[in-house]
Structures are given as C-alpha cells and as structure tokens.
Amino acid sequence: AEHIASGDFAPSRTSAHEAQGEQRKIASLIRTLALAAHHAHQRGVIHRDLKPANVLFDSAGEPHIADFGLARQLDSESFCTASSKLAGTPAYMAPEQTRLTSSELTTGVDVYALGAILYELLTGGPPFIGETPLESIRQLVEEEPRQPRSLNPLTDPDLAVICLKCIEKEPAR
C-alpha cells in the first residue's frame, strides 16, 4: 500500500514505452503473488483478505503475502457454516464474500482480490470504491467495473483482459 501511495506503481500516462516497462513490473509482481496464493491454495488455505496492505516487500524487494488472520482451511468443518459477519476488505472483496455464507467460498476469492490489486495498479484505483464500505459493497454487487483501458488508455490489452477475468462476478468464470 505504501508503494502505491508513493507512486511506485503509478500508471504511466507519459509514453507507451514507459507504460510498457511499468506494466511488466506490475505483471511480475502479480505473478509472484499469484504463485504464493497458489502455494497456499494447494495446501487448502484461502487468504480471504488479499489487498495491497497485506503485501510486504523484503530487503531484496521481493513481495510476500502477509496477515493470514482471516485465512481459512478449505476442508475445515467450521468453514462450511454460515456467518453473520463480513470478512475481508470491501475494495478487494469478491462478490461471494458479501453473501455471508462461507459454503460458497473457494480459492476464487483470492483470485478476485489479485485481480482487484492488478486493476488498482493498472488504473490507479480499485474496481469499486465508495464513500463508505457499504457503498463499495453495493457497487461490487450491482455494478460492472469500468474497463481498465478507459481509465488508462496505455494499459496493455492482454493485462486488461486478465484483470477483468479475475474480477468476474461469477466465480466459475
């Protein structure tokens, strides 16, 4: 989150060449995070709260996923029960996380969050952000995200497609 706030990943609007270099850096970061999430998924763990603030960089500049406080084992008996509390951060939360039934949560919630992070890195903001958390959730459930290329015309078309695929409202898609 500090790297985003300081402009380290700011979408370039100056030249196509600079944008391409920045987007390669962004794609590499997301790839590393996706591999880390996949490692957890292979062990039956979903994070449920991936967001920029939960990505830490070591002294070599390598990213690591942190804060597994909301993580759950996929095969856990307690995980398959309904809950009366939302778990996650609205700007990066998958639509199925808003339904308060954990039985439909899969590794797709982390894929969605990675897509929301990618969206923010490409466009300068998450796909849905309201003035309140409730407004963000309403947008998430009721609206479609804007096309990344409409917010940053220099966005690589392939990265835009990958990003939008990750933040599909239907997990199976």
Side-chain angles (χ1 to χ4, degrees):
E2 289 175 8
H3 284 277
I4 291 171
S6 68
D8 289 352
F9 292 103
S12 174
R13 301 194 194 283
T14 55
S15 76
H17 181 70
E18 285 180 11
Q20 185 180 38
E22 289 173 6
Q23 290 177 42
R24 284 184 189 278
K25 186 167 88 170
I26 289 168
S28 177
L29 168 65
I30 295 297
R31 179 184 185 276
T32 300
L33 296 176
L35 289 171
H38 180 65
H39 180 80
H41 295 164
Q42 288 179 312
R43 284 144 186 82
V45 174
I46 58 173
H47 191 281
R48 298 194 313 158
D49 196 26
L50 288 175
K51 59 186 176 182
N54 287 340
V55 176
L56 303 179
F57 290 85
D58 63 22
S59 59
E62 290 298 314
H64 301 273
I65 295 174
D67 190 358
F68 281 77
L70 294 179
R72 291 290 182 264
Q73 283 289 137
L74 285 170
D75 59 0
S76 170
E77 186 71 29
S78 64
F79 184 70
C80 293
T81 60
S83 170
S84 61
K85 295 182 182 177
L86 287 176
T89 303
Y92 306 95
M93 185 183 288
E96 59 269 28
Q97 285 178 273
T98 68
R99 294 194 269 276
L100 300 178
T101 56
S102 58
S103 62
E104 62 182 299
L105 298 185
T106 67
T107 57
V109 300
D110 289 344
V111 171
Y112 182 95
L114 288 169
I117 293 168
L118 175 58
Y119 189 98
E120 181 168 5
L121 293 171
L122 294 173
T123 68
F128 304 103
I129 190 75
E131 290 188 25
T132 66
L134 190 57
E135 174 60 17
S136 294
I137 291 170
R138 185 203 62 75
Q139 290 175 9
L140 169 66
V141 172
E142 297 177 4
E143 298 176 13
E144 291 301 319
R146 291 181 61 188
Q147 295 288 325
R149 290 176 54 86
S150 72
L151 298 168
N152 177 5
L154 297 176
T155 299
D156 179 85
D158 292 333
L159 279 181
V161 168
I162 291 167
C163 177
L164 292 174
K165 185 57 87 173
C166 290
I167 61 173
E168 281 279 348
K169 294 202 185 284
E170 291 301 320
R173 296 191 68 193

